[in-house]
Amino acid sequence: MSAQWRKARKRNWQKRFKRWSFEIINNPYVQLWGGLILMVHVSGFAMWLTERNPNNTSFNIIQDWAHGIWWAFVTIFTVGYGDYFPVTTMGRFVAVGVMIAGVAIISVLTATISSTFVEQRIRKGQGLEPVKLKNHIIICGWNFNVENIISALEAEQDFPSIVLVNSCDPSPIGEIIQRHPQAEISFVAGDFANDAILDRASVRGAECVIIVADTNEGTANKADEKTIITTLTIKNMNPKIRVYAHILNPDSAQHLRRANADDVVISDKYSGFLLAMHVTHPGVPRVVDELLSYRFGNEIVRTEIPDEFVGRNFGQLSEFMKKEHNAILIGIARESKAMALDDLLSDDNSYLDRFIRQKLQESGKKFAEEERLAIDLNPDTDYTIEKNNVAIVIANKS
């Protein structure tokens, strides 16, 4: 058995060696550089044979093969130092041949290198090249919100690199990249629910992923299904990555939470509220519009709380924020561990929900509670600030 294993291993290595040898031999760069090195050595040897003269000890005479190789390099690359040169008729004929052949091979080598760079740039523009980034943000899918997301990220001082992943025509993507020259934006073309495409976008090294409802899917249900599948795929490839998903149908939210999406944004969730507020509280929707805009006026931001305020109350922190930063403190963000299994399962007690509960009970394991960000808006003045709390404030952009 051991002998058969060794024979099989030997055959495997022989197959690999043949495949590698074939790839190396047929590589155009290997062929060009190999031809150039061979030409240099042959030319140097030929020049030494035609020029060697034991009776002539002049410094400029090619008297050994090493001098011939040096002369061939200098001649082929058109440097022309003039430290060695042929003096015989036959040597000059050899030199002319070397010059003509050298110009041809250098031209081919330069053209090959240039075409490779041009092809790589074209492939990158078409989204066919893998990106080599870390701690970047991936935006999967395509709709009118994509450029707004880029603009909002670009407004930050230390905005990260962005990778767009979708199956759209590269032309509008290129236009967006040109409109945002300050942002480092890359493009990967293909189905963003596919593992290989996500690997090309370097999802394993990304900081977070934003999935928007893709308009190329045609209907809202298909777009949401694609979002759910993509979330499952990403979490399977990189369980620690943060995924924020945008959906069109509110009923899809429960499925995204089961897929372990970190947060869900539902399209048109507040449209009815804002329309009603125009009637009941005129002016309030404009305030909301300004606070949620990144272009002008005030905005809602989160900021760190100084350590000296730990143990002090909300009113004292509010006075400090207004006095030192001209910001209005509206709430406190804190990590919460109140997420239970029933929070993730739907209310209709479907077969899938019963199956999940049954398997957890059979395993004897409790559902692991996960940290979730909780917001305390407008708490009491005596609300006590705790360690690792974060302030939510309204601040002027200027």
Side-chain angles (χ1 to χ4, degrees):
M1 191 68 181
S2 178
Q4 292 179 353
W5 180 81
R6 284 196 297 269
K7 288 181 179 179
R9 185 179 180 184
K10 184 178 179 181
R11 286 194 300 268
N12 188 28
W13 276 107
Q14 287 175 345
K15 290 180 180 178
R16 289 184 180 182
F17 180 76
K18 289 180 180 179
R19 185 175 68 250
W20 292 338
S21 301
F22 179 80
E23 291 176 356
I24 291 173
I25 291 173
N26 288 275
N27 189 298
Y29 286 105
V30 173
Q31 293 174 350
L32 283 171
W33 283 106
L36 180 62
I37 293 172
L38 179 62
M39 179 181 174
V40 166
H41 282 77
V42 171
S43 302
F45 183 73
M47 187 58 66
W48 169 56
L49 289 179
T50 57
E51 290 294 307
R52 61 178 179 172
N53 186 353
N55 299 323
N56 192 336
T57 59
S58 174
F59 175 78
N60 303 107
I61 299 300
I62 301 173
Q63 296 182 349
D64 57 37
W65 194 0
H67 290 166
I69 292 175
W70 169 252
W71 169 87
F73 263 114
V74 171
T75 303
I76 290 172
F77 285 95
T78 66
V79 178
Y81 285 130
D83 47 355
Y84 297 104
F85 51 84
V87 295
T88 65
T89 302
M90 185 57 68
R92 288 172 179 170
F93 272 112
V94 173
V96 170
V98 172
M99 293 174 193
I100 295 173
V103 170
I105 196 169
I106 292 300
S107 299
V108 173
L109 182 62
T110 304
T112 303
I113 295 174
S114 301
S115 64
T116 300
F117 279 111
V118 171
E119 181 184 1
Q120 185 177 8
R121 189 172 185 84
I122 292 174
R123 287 177 58 85
K124 185 177 180 181
Q126 294 177 342
L128 302 177
E129 284 291 312
V131 298
K132 298 179 180 179
L133 296 171
K134 282 188 176 182
N135 301 322
H136 55 290
I137 293 177
I138 300 176
I139 302 177
C140 295
W142 180 260
N143 61 34
F144 66 93
N145 283 313
V146 170
E147 190 163 8
N148 292 333
I149 296 172
I150 294 173
S151 299
L153 294 173
E154 192 179 15
E156 298 297 322
Q157 292 182 352
D158 299 322
F159 60 90
S161 302
I162 300 171
V163 179
L164 305 178
V165 186
N166 54 65
S167 55
C168 294
D169 185 357
S171 299
I173 306 296
E175 293 175 1
I176 287 178
I177 294 174
Q178 290 179 358
R179 286 198 293 268
H180 299 271
Q182 301 299 324
E184 184 182 353
I185 304 175
S186 303
F187 171 52
V188 172
D191 182 2
F192 53 85
N194 188 288
D195 296 36
I197 302 301
L198 291 170
D199 267 329
R200 199 190 299 167
S202 191
V203 71
R204 301 180 197 276
E207 179 181 344
C208 69
V209 178
I210 299 173
I211 308 174
V212 301
D214 194 56
T215 55
N216 295 322
E217 294 301 317
T219 64
N221 288 334
K222 287 184 177 180
D224 287 352
E225 288 175 5
K226 186 70 168 288
T227 301
I228 295 168
I229 293 172
T230 304
T231 303
L232 288 168
T233 304
I234 293 171
K235 284 294 186 178
N236 183 56
M237 296 176 68
N238 185 358
K240 295 182 179 180
I241 196 170
R242 291 177 289 136
V243 177
Y244 305 107
H246 168 226
I247 56 174
L248 303 175
N249 188 346
D251 295 336
S252 301
Q254 58 184 343
H255 302 296
L256 271 169
R257 293 192 176 94
R258 289 180 196 149
N260 204 22
D262 291 82
D263 220 329
V264 180
V265 176
I266 303 173
S267 184
D268 292 332
K269 182 177 181 180
Y270 303 105
S271 298
F273 168 78
L274 292 174
L275 288 171
M277 291 293 285
H278 275 295
V279 177
T280 59
H281 297 85
V284 172
R286 291 191 179 183
V287 174
V288 176
D289 185 53
E290 178 176 330
L291 292 177
L292 299 181
S293 174
Y294 55 86
R295 294 180 180 176
F296 58 88
N298 295 282
E299 62 180 344
I300 301 176
V301 297
R302 54 178 285 169
T303 183
E304 298 297 327
I305 299 175
D307 293 337
E308 59 266 25
F309 280 91
V310 175
R312 299 170 72 177
N313 61 45
F314 182 83
Q316 292 171 322
L317 180 61
S318 179
E319 293 178 4
F320 169 80
M321 287 293 178
K322 183 62 179 177
K323 182 178 179 181
E324 298 296 330
H325 303 288
N326 193 26
I328 301 173
L329 181 65
I330 61 173
I332 299 295
R334 56 185 173 82
E335 296 293 337
S336 173
K337 292 188 176 181
M339 183 64 65
L341 177 61
D342 289 336
D343 293 327
L344 298 182
L345 300 180
S346 59
D347 297 329
D348 57 3
N349 197 25
S350 65
Y351 173 79
L352 180 60
D353 295 341
R354 294 196 301 271
F355 176 78
I356 293 173
R357 286 192 179 94
Q358 179 183 351
K359 288 301 179 183
L360 285 172
Q361 291 173 358
E362 290 175 355
S363 65
K365 296 179 180 179
K366 295 183 178 180
F367 181 75
E369 293 180 340
E370 298 182 7
E371 288 191 348
R372 299 289 178 179
L373 188 65
I375 306 294
D376 290 319
L377 281 180
N378 193 27
D380 294 334
T381 305
D382 58 354
Y383 178 96
T384 303
I385 306 299
E386 299 177 356
K387 188 177 181 181
N388 297 326
N389 282 174
V390 180
I392 307 298
V393 302
I394 298 176
N396 194 295
K397 288 183 173 63
S398 59

